[in-house]
Amino acid sequence: MKFLALLLCAAPLALAAVISEKVVTYDGYRVVRIATGGRVLFEKQLKSLDAVQLDPDTLAISPGDFPKFENMKLEYEILDKDLGASIVAEGGFSPGSASKRSVSSLDELKPGTFPSLAWFDEYHTFAEHQQWLVDIQDGFRENSELIEIGKSYEGRPINGIHLWGKGGKDSKPAVLWHSTAHAREWITTMVVEYLIFGLITGYNSKNDQVRSILDKYDFFIIPVVNPDGFVYSKTTNRLWRKNRQPHPTHSCIGIDINRNWGHKWEVITPASWSSSNPCDEVFRGVAPDMAPEVLAVTKHAKSLAANKGIKLYIDWHSFSQKILLAYGYTCDKQVPGYERSMSLAKGVAAAIEGAHQKKFTPGSSCRNLYQFSGGSTDWMQDVVSAEISWCIELRPTGWAGFLLPASQIRASGEEQWEGMMYLLSNM
Ligand SMILES: [Zn+2]
């Protein structure tokens, strides 16, 4: 996209890091959804615009380049007349807060008060999420530990929590949850934390269903897989998606963490939304597994698979309200156990709908979302043989897209809680 080109690509490499800190406000940017046919036909011209791609058919276009876009005479609808105003209304984007010191390890933090549901009334910074993990773990000391599975490109810890029930730690098959691999998908961290909160408070209050679930599985939950991108989305560019790793020869920054996993990474078809262009939102990296974040999560998953195996993997994303089975790389192949996994996904969708009447559509990634390779669920399915390997795309279905109002965090958590209680009790 050209706005990145202006910021980075034309700049000498030494300046790139400095210039890339320029805050992008998106004032006056319009969000448009383009009819697929036109999008494919005009791909090259669209890429030359000062714009950011939100999904294959949705772009946020700068006010300066909007006339150029209109001249293409494509069929489109406007989803948001002023993206900058929507970002301000959402809250949580704080330009300039980058200077605040980041945590380098959870050991540096002292536990405070056990979290309350009020946590889920607003979005939070990376440092606040780290403190939250320390606080909640302190209220479940006998049955949990904090884990650090690696470091991000910029050296931030990739942290999580490990929960277990009777029988002690590492004695049961693993349930593994990842969220915020894509930096701008803030709701995913909040929802996963809501699930952690529900599991811990449920176990502590002797809820029978929660106890039997935690007694059966070891949970490993990583709320922010992409800390550098997440911090950048908070301080500099609300719609940042990738990590913050420089390219070896090109000045565009970042690898799409959900395109860099080393299984079928090399498969790129004209229809797939994975790219070898470093400036694209879905840049897959110059080699598989080259993002340190991907290396950290794959190493961790391999260790779980080698121990008691992975019963369930979920990579939480937003948006579009879908429950996605592998595969993403091909539409021509079903995963082993497809019928059973689909039947569970339908049960989860019904449980979610029962909470707040939101419809979530189950199906394979390729057929139900779009084709893409180098994704986490394909890897978990085939490389470490996770019994169930899904991606869940959270609220909403249309625009506000990634800018889900904070007033919907609790309801999002509540409906996923219902979905997970169904899944974990029936799988
Ligand atoms: Zn995503």
Side-chain angles (χ1 to χ4, degrees):
M1 291 290 138
K2 199 174 128 208
F3 93 91
L4 277 177
L6 285 173
L7 286 175
L8 302 169
C9 302
L13 267 177
L15 283 178
V18 178
I19 292 172
S20 70
E21 293 305 317
K22 188 176 160 56
V23 171
V24 187
T25 63
Y26 294 105
D27 285 343
Y29 275 62
R30 271 171 267 198
V31 177
V32 299
R33 177 168 296 143
I34 305 161
T36 308
R39 190 258 298 170
V40 172
L41 223 62
F42 280 78
E43 203 178 350
K44 232 181 163 168
Q45 290 93 319
L46 289 168
K47 274 193 200 285
S48 76
L49 292 173
D50 179 9
V52 61
Q53 191 163 16
L54 304 176
D55 72 26
D57 294 329
T58 311
L59 291 183
I61 304 169
S62 76
D65 268 9
F66 202 76
K68 220 199 256 178
F69 168 72
E70 278 184 307
N71 284 341
M72 293 177 200
K73 306 242 177 292
L74 296 172
E75 197 186 317
Y76 70 89
E77 58 172 324
I78 293 198
L79 304 180
D80 192 338
K81 283 189 195 135
D82 186 352
L83 179 59
S86 302
I87 289 172
V88 171
E90 180 199 32
F93 178 65
S94 5
S97 57
S99 53
K100 282 186 194 158
R101 191 177 150 273
S102 262
V103 177
S104 57
S105 158
L106 290 184
D107 301 338
E108 295 176 20
L109 299 173
K110 297 227 174 334
T113 319
F114 190 80
S116 77
L117 278 173
W119 172 256
F120 302 100
D121 291 336
E122 57 185 352
Y123 292 104
H124 302 278
T125 64
F126 181 63
E128 288 165 350
H129 284 295
Q130 302 292 282
Q131 183 66 50
W132 186 89
L133 272 182
V134 171
D135 293 347
I136 199 154
Q137 193 273 333
D138 192 52
F140 200 52
R141 266 171 282 170
E142 302 302 309
N143 292 75
S144 72
E145 65 187 0
L146 297 167
I147 50 175
E148 180 181 315
I149 60 164
K151 299 270 195 214
S152 65
Y153 178 78
E154 291 175 342
R156 291 185 179 86
I158 303 171
N159 288 320
I161 190 164
H162 173 191
L163 314 171
W164 60 85
K166 70 177 180 196
K169 69 171 181 174
D170 295 315
S171 62
K172 307 283 166 35
V175 169
L176 174 60
W177 292 340
H178 289 162
S179 55
T180 307
H182 289 147
R184 61 196 178 189
E185 298 168 11
W186 293 356
I187 184 60
T188 65
T189 297
M190 297 305 299
V191 161
V192 157
E193 287 174 348
Y194 189 93
L195 301 176
I196 296 170
F197 182 84
L199 288 169
I200 290 180
T201 53
Y203 202 89
N204 279 345
S205 64
K206 301 194 168 35
N207 174 297
D208 285 342
Q209 190 182 16
V210 173
R211 284 228 160 190
S212 72
I213 288 166
L214 260 175
D215 286 343
K216 221 170 149 188
Y217 304 108
D218 273 59
F219 283 73
F220 299 86
I221 306 168
I222 318 287
V224 185
V225 166
N226 177 9
D228 300 346
F230 180 70
V231 168
Y232 197 75
S233 78
K234 285 276 172 186
T235 61
T236 313
N237 182 340
R238 171 67 187 90
L239 292 178
W240 190 259
R241 171 185 173 96
K242 300 185 276 185
N243 74 355
R244 294 291 303 159
Q245 187 172 4
H247 187 276
T249 56
H250 198 288
S251 56
C252 276
I253 285 183
I255 294 173
D256 183 337
I257 289 180
N258 203 28
R259 300 292 185 276
N260 187 241
W261 294 62
H263 177 59
K264 304 292 179 187
W265 172 88
E266 69 289 352
V267 179
I268 293 192
T269 70
S272 72
W273 203 38
S274 302
S275 170
S276 52
N277 178 347
C279 295
D280 280 352
E281 292 294 331
V282 288
F283 176 52
R284 60 179 182 159
V286 294
D289 298 326
M290 73 173 290
E293 298 84 1
V294 172
L295 267 184
V297 288
T298 52
K299 189 173 159 223
H300 180 239
K302 279 179 184 167
S303 75
L304 301 181
N307 185 25
K308 302 286 176 192
I310 299 173
K311 177 78 180 182
L312 168 69
Y313 172 70
I314 299 179
D315 196 6
W316 301 83
H317 286 255
S318 73
F319 59 95
S320 63
Q321 295 181 194
K322 293 176 192 290
I323 301 167
L324 301 168
L325 286 61
Y327 295 107
Y329 79 94
T330 176
C331 291
D332 299 333
K333 204 176 145 190
Q334 287 181 347
V335 294
Y338 175 83
E339 297 300 334
R340 177 172 152 68
S341 196
M342 266 304 276
S343 134
L344 286 167
K346 285 176 188 164
V348 170
I352 291 171
E353 193 176 350
H356 294 292
Q357 293 72 55
K358 294 290 182 196
K359 286 195 188 302
F360 279 63
T361 320
S364 84
S365 291
C366 185
R367 289 181 181 274
N368 195 19
L369 187 70
Y370 43 71
Q371 190 173 15
F372 70 100
S373 52
S376 59
T377 51
D378 290 359
W379 189 95
M380 290 285 178
Q381 186 75 56
D382 283 356
V383 178
V384 291
S385 305
E387 196 175 307
I388 300 164
S389 178
W390 291 354
C391 163
I392 296 187
E393 296 275 358
L394 297 172
R395 292 185 185 196
T397 43
W399 198 250
F402 305 109
L403 312 181
L404 187 74
S407 59
Q408 292 192 40
I409 297 170
R410 279 206 204 195
S412 299
E414 287 159 7
E415 65 200 9
Q416 295 310 316
W417 175 259
E418 294 304 323
M420 288 304 101
M421 284 302 100
Y422 172 85
L423 178 61
L424 293 162
S425 305
N426 288 281
M427 69 188 191

